[in-house]
Amino acid sequence: MENCLFCKIARGEIPSRKVYEDDQLIAFHDINPLRPMHILVIPRRHIVSLQTVEPGDEPVLGRMLAVTRRLAEENGSPEGFRVIINSGRIGGQEVPHLHAHVVGGPEPVGPMFKRN
Ligand code: 5GP
Ligand code: ZN
């Protein structure tokens, strides 16, 4: 995907503060962190969202989750963390390249949602 922001980050065409990479994934600090630790994990290959995953994507989806523990341990959130995957319009996804937010830090991240 020529003009996709996260594809450009994955190719190294846009700089990022990378914390992990392997043959299928890269992980880097969110540019606008919402918690002391706020890392994005993305597949190198362009997948738009959880709305578009196919059976062949299962290994990379599994790896995205499997690496979260290591990311948290190495980036200041050893006692737990939260994973968020915003998907599509209803999920509030802004960048149309699948990404998991891994958030945490020394303090609890708080409730998932505020109750009205
Ligand atoms: P979404 O709302 O799509 O789930 O999350 C997109 C995330 O990407 C946001 O948290 C935003 O701060 C982050 N982001 C947007 N542009 C960039 C960028 O150029 N570099 C980095 N590192 N993060 C970005
Ligand atoms: Zn992309």
Side-chain angles (χ1 to χ4, degrees), residues 1 3-8 43-47 96-98:
M1 289 290 285
N3 288 316
C4 168
L5 174 64
F6 285 177
C7 282
K8 287 183 178 175
R44 287 186 183 276
R45 194 164 51 77
H46 185 79
I47 298 172
H97 179 130
L98 177 67

Side-chain angles (χ1 to χ4, degrees), residues 1-104:
M1 289 290 285
E2 201 61 31
N3 288 316
C4 168
L5 174 64
F6 285 177
C7 282
K8 287 183 178 175
I9 287 178
R11 291 195 296 261
E13 295 168 13
I14 290 177
S16 68
R17 290 170 58 213
K18 219 178 282 177
V19 293
Y20 175 82
E21 64 183 317
D22 63 30
D23 58 322
Q24 294 190 60
L25 304 180
I26 78 161
F28 51 91
H29 288 283
D30 194 290
I31 204 166
N32 189 15
L34 295 168
R35 288 293 183 277
M37 179 190 74
H38 187 164
I39 289 168
L40 301 174
V41 188
I42 70 170
R44 287 186 183 276
R45 194 164 51 77
H46 185 79
I47 298 172
V48 172
S49 83
L50 289 181
Q51 295 174 290
T52 68
V53 294
E54 295 169 4
D57 298 326
E58 286 174 13
V60 73
L61 292 173
R63 192 172 306 181
M64 284 173 70
L65 292 181
V67 79
T68 56
R69 168 192 172 173
R70 170 177 172 174
L71 296 175
E73 286 176 355
E74 292 180 354
N75 292 279
S77 197
E79 293 182 67
F81 52 88
R82 182 172 294 163
V83 178
I84 301 166
I85 304 180
N86 297 323
S87 305
R89 182 178 73 86
I90 300 298
Q93 182 178 5
E94 290 179 357
V95 177
H97 179 130
L98 177 67
H99 52 282
H101 299 254
V102 186
V103 294

